[in-house]
Amino acid sequence: MKTIIEPFRIKMVEPIRMTTVEERRGFLEEAEHNLFLIAAENVIIDLLTDSGTAAMSDAQWAGIMRGDESYAGARSFYRFQEKVQEITGFTQVIPTHQGRAAERILFGLLGGPGRVIPSNTHFDTTRANIESQGSEAADLVIAAGLDPGSLYPFKGNMDVGRLEELIRRVGPGQIPVCMLTVTNNSGGGQPVSMDNIRRTREVLNRHGIPLFLDACRFAENAYFIKRRESGYGERSCKDIAREMFSCADGCTMSAKKDALVNIGGFLAMNDEELARRARNVLIVTEGFPTYGGLAGRDLEAIAQGLEEVLHEDYLAYRIRTAEYVGEKLEAAGVPFVKPPGGHAIYLDARAFAPHIPPREFPGQAIACALYVEGGVRSCEIGSVMFGRTDPQTGTHLAPPLELVRLAFPRRVYTQSHFDYVIEVILKVHAGRSSLRGMRITYEPPALRHFTARYGYR
Ligand code: P61
């Protein structure tokens, strides 16, 4: 059959509260145009993030009931540890309450002033955790990864030439670890090829630098490899994932993405000495090493989710969702990052609203319009999230891409929800000439998009 269906039945539902354009205009005003500050109840389709928003399966909920809440050595920890070891091959498994906790521990141990940590593209929490240690976060994605129109199949790849050059320039002693974000979230959810993971590894091997995967969306990356990279078509996604991890020395993981749970994460590696130091930090800040800030039931749900996320029918449906939305947008001439990524559609805000310069946050203006028009909540990934003001000249330093991400929670919305989202995007696109630039009226010192306030120009 040609139709790819949602490979699950729904046995519990959560009502969506409908609102009017007028009401939403009021909510947006009250939130001072920051979509993070709008009550979720006032959102019709919530595509703010795919993080922690998945629907858990019956087997995961059953695991919740089986959770062993012993402080030390809980049965649920051993089940979690075994599943992480089985999928990643890493021997040392350290639970954390979410991805950024794993990042803070890792970079707290390896970072420090003068150090440089490269990646294809660091996501904002990773960058913030590196910079808060006084280190530099270097983004070295290939040129195609910065071109929204390029159809290159692995736009998340690391530019290994630039990596080599960076190592030569700053010296391997200043680079304690190299990251690879799979898939590349800030660059459109684009995958990294196995070949590129291997080539990155070879460069690092020559200089004795370890490689860690930021593995949030490892299963989606494995599926793209299966579909797009020669020699992998007949391999299982589990097997491909295992091969990806086998090229690395460790990983940070937000289980809120490809472990299909609402909270959780882990840090995993093979280096026993580094793991011992990480566990010492964990005990001070997160909890005992067999729960790391999570409940036993959370560990059960993660173990089960890690198994389910690699089911091929799930991944086929998952990736098809973004492709389907992409096809409809393409037919209507709406600019977005092509080919569609695994977990989201990213509108290309520069091309969508070319009359708004980056310093007036075109992505934020589009995101606000999508909310007012149809109650669809999205997230700006552009000058708000990654832009900076030059302290010397006061001019705006724009990041390479101005994007609006519509991220898809896992197993939550059906095809008709996506048809509705497409209709809302087309409507905003049709009226794009009336979109107005914005300005920031308040911003905190770091990760400003969460709490900034805005007005129109
Ligand atoms: C997201 F607006 N991502 O995409 P934690 N690495 C990567 C991520 O995508 C990621 C983390 C590490 C989120 C949530 C989010 O400013 C924002 O479990 C590739 O969220 O700590 C998270 O994992 C961190 C949204 C994070 C944001 C920060 O929506």
Side-chain angles (χ1 to χ4, degrees):
M1 299 300 295
K2 284 214 301 289
T3 309
I4 296 176
I5 61 168
E6 287 86 359
F8 47 80
R9 297 186 298 186
I10 298 165
K11 74 170 149 198
M12 189 188 287
V13 296
E14 200 180 349
I16 293 176
R17 199 173 84 86
M18 295 300 179
T19 49
T20 63
V21 169
E22 272 323 301
E23 284 172 322
R24 292 193 292 269
R25 233 177 235 130
F27 298 139
L28 192 61
E29 288 276 321
E30 268 169 50
E32 295 182 61
H33 298 90
N34 185 334
L35 294 161
F36 283 93
L37 304 182
I38 286 182
E41 196 186 39
N42 298 327
V43 174
I44 294 179
I45 307 281
D46 205 345
L47 307 184
L48 184 70
T49 177
D50 64 321
S51 180
T53 51
M56 290 206 295
S57 67
D58 50 358
Q60 285 178 295
W61 282 108
I64 294 273
M65 297 307 294
R66 279 198 307 268
D68 175 356
E69 305 304 341
S70 304
Y71 191 95
R75 189 177 59 239
S76 301
F77 169 74
Y78 294 112
R79 182 166 177 230
F80 160 83
Q81 178 177 251
E82 204 175 294
K83 184 54 71 182
V84 175
Q85 287 171 336
E86 176 193 324
I87 287 173
T88 66
F90 299 131
T91 55
Q92 308 297 311
V93 180
I94 299 169
T96 60
H97 78 274
Q98 60 184 85
R100 69 196 74 179
E103 292 165 3
R104 186 183 50 78
I105 293 171
L106 182 68
F107 302 128
L109 294 172
L110 299 180
R115 303 238 156 128
V116 183
I117 299 173
S119 181
N120 45 354
T121 315
H122 293 285
F123 195 56
D124 66 344
T125 56
T126 323
R127 172 171 286 279
N129 273 300
I130 290 170
E131 290 175 350
S132 72
Q133 299 297 330
S135 310
E136 185 191 328
D139 292 339
L140 303 175
V141 75
I142 55 167
L146 300 175
D147 173 2
S150 159
L151 291 174
Y152 188 69
F154 290 103
K155 287 168 75 173
N157 280 357
M158 171 80 88
D159 186 330
V160 284
R162 285 171 67 208
L163 177 63
E164 206 49 282
E165 202 179 286
L166 176 85
I167 298 171
R168 226 175 296 120
R169 183 161 52 80
V170 305
Q174 291 304 93
I175 304 180
V177 63
C178 173
M179 306 293 295
L180 260 182
T181 312
V182 295
T183 58
N184 189 27
N185 190 12
S186 321
Q190 301 292 324
V192 180
S193 71
M194 193 73 82
D195 177 61
N196 187 256
I197 300 176
R198 286 198 182 289
R199 286 195 298 126
T200 302
R201 178 73 220 210
E202 280 161 23
V203 170
L204 298 172
N205 272 354
R206 284 204 290 279
H207 302 281
I209 300 168
L211 173 65
F212 270 57
L213 298 184
D214 177 341
C216 301
R217 298 175 181 87
F218 75 96
E220 291 170 8
N221 200 86
Y223 187 75
F224 279 120
I225 289 176
K226 183 183 172 90
R227 289 273 302 272
R228 297 181 182 172
E229 194 161 349
S230 81
Y232 289 92
E234 298 305 315
R235 301 263 302 275
S236 74
C237 288
K238 192 170 188 172
D239 198 24
I240 297 171
R242 183 68 191 251
E243 187 177 331
M244 286 162 48
F245 285 113
S246 76
C247 300
D249 299 284
C251 72
T252 55
M253 173 77 186
S254 169
K256 299 172 75 172
K257 286 83 170 174
D258 272 354
L260 298 170
V261 293
N262 307 119
I263 195 70
F266 56 85
L267 175 62
M269 63 191 82
N270 286 327
D271 183 334
E272 283 178 36
E273 172 55 19
L274 185 62
R276 193 183 56 75
R277 290 166 60 212
R279 287 192 185 97
N280 288 340
V281 179
L282 188 84
I283 288 176
V284 177
T285 58
E286 293 273 309
F288 189 71
T290 61
Y291 74 87
L294 293 170
R297 54 178 170 270
D298 299 325
L299 297 169
E300 287 282 343
I302 294 172
Q304 179 63 30
L306 285 172
E307 184 62 37
E308 291 177 13
V309 79
L310 287 162
H311 291 178
E312 316 253 331
D313 48 2
Y314 160 75
L315 284 167
Y317 134 82
R318 172 78 179 153
I319 303 304
R320 176 64 196 147
T321 305
E323 258 172 26
Y324 173 78
V325 176
E327 283 165 13
K328 303 276 172 162
L329 297 184
E330 171 85 359
V334 177
F336 65 97
V337 176
K338 287 168 209 159
H343 66 296
I345 281 282
Y346 294 68
L347 301 177
D348 176 2
R350 274 182 204 262
F352 195 113
H355 59 290
I356 306 178
R359 67 172 188 281
E360 294 183 12
F361 312 118
Q364 188 64 19
I366 295 167
C368 287
L370 293 171
Y371 175 71
V372 170
E373 197 58 57
V376 174
R377 176 153 68 171
S378 56
C379 179
E380 195 266 11
I381 299 194
S383 275
V384 173
M385 196 183 271
F386 290 114
R388 299 272 185 275
T389 305
D390 186 325
Q392 255 96 58
T393 62
T395 53
H396 177 72
L397 304 171
L401 295 169
E402 297 290 338
L403 305 174
V404 177
R405 185 186 71 173
L406 296 111
F408 304 164
R410 292 169 180 78
R411 305 190 293 205
V412 169
Y413 293 116
T414 63
Q415 187 166 347
S416 77
H417 289 118
F418 285 105
D419 285 331
Y420 174 86
V421 170
I422 292 160
E423 190 180 334
V424 173
I425 298 172
L426 297 197
K427 195 141 185 228
V428 171
H429 187 245
R432 62 194 178 279
S433 59
S434 61
L435 291 170
R436 286 157 58 203
M438 307 190 79
R439 66 196 163 82
I440 290 182
T441 55
Y442 160 78
E443 65 178 289
L447 297 175
R448 68 179 174 183
H449 57 289
F450 285 126
T451 53
R453 310 295 151 104
Y454 311 82
Y456 284 101
R457 282 268 166 189

